[in-house]
Amino acid sequence: MDIPPDALVILVGPSGCGKSTFARTRFPANEIVSSDECRRMVSDDEGSQAASRAAFAVFDALVYGRLAHGRRAVADATNLAPWSRERLREMAAEHGRPVVAIAFDAPLDLCVARQQTRQRRVAPDVVELHHGHMQQALAELPSEGYTHLYIVRPRM
């Protein structure tokens, strides 16, 4: 994968697809901005919408700060919604940074199985919903204007 050192890397994939593991094995820890880590910094209340908004404000600030200083930012969140990818691309454009999307086209059964091994689990019906949104994202990603687009197909 050709990923510039000052790029915004957007990881796109359903819960349990292996995004975080991929990020930890490919990028230095200081480059990864994880929505899960931001949530843990803000609150232990998984169901709080206010905590979720605050966590994403932290996430956005960290991504923005890295890009503003010419550093690579690896956005480790589901990023299944077009508006979330657009928000990130706008941050990169504001700083003249290239944008790389890495999409994880993982089978549903793999995502559900991986969720069972995690400390912070997502319900199977949510994983299934995410998986459906991923199919839509895969159709949209090629036309969204990335410097590079990579599709990763994890297998069991």
Side-chain angles (χ1 to χ4, degrees), residues 83-121:
W83 62 264
S84 70
R85 295 188 306 273
E86 181 178 6
R87 184 186 81 243
L88 290 166
R89 286 192 316 271
E90 287 172 354
M91 282 188 224
E94 183 177 334
H95 299 291
R97 306 286 174 234
V99 184
V100 176
I102 302 175
F104 293 78
D105 185 14
L108 177 59
D109 57 342
L110 175 66
C111 296
V112 171
R114 284 185 176 169
Q115 279 300 315
Q116 300 308 308
T117 66
R118 295 176 69 179
Q119 184 175 9
R120 180 180 169 264
R121 293 184 183 154

Side-chain angles (χ1 to χ4, degrees), residues 15-115:
S15 296
C17 70
K19 293 181 307 294
S20 296
T21 301
F22 177 91
R24 285 191 307 270
T25 61
R26 303 282 173 106
F27 301 99
N30 69 322
E31 292 182 355
I32 302 167
V33 182
S34 164
S35 61
D36 287 346
E37 291 299 320
C38 291
R39 175 173 281 289
R40 279 191 279 277
M41 285 190 277
V42 169
S43 174
D44 293 330
D45 184 355
E46 290 287 328
S48 168
Q49 290 298 318
S52 184
R53 283 190 299 277
F56 272 97
V58 171
F59 178 85
D60 286 353
L62 291 170
V63 169
Y64 189 89
R66 289 196 61 78
L67 296 172
H69 289 92
R71 307 291 302 277
R72 182 183 296 151
V74 179
D76 181 8
T78 58
N79 293 312
L80 293 171
W83 62 264
S84 70
R85 295 188 306 273
E86 181 178 6
R87 184 186 81 243
L88 290 166
R89 286 192 316 271
E90 287 172 354
M91 282 188 224
E94 183 177 334
H95 299 291
R97 306 286 174 234
V99 184
V100 176
I102 302 175
F104 293 78
D105 185 14
L108 177 59
D109 57 342
L110 175 66
C111 296
V112 171
R114 284 185 176 169
Q115 279 300 315

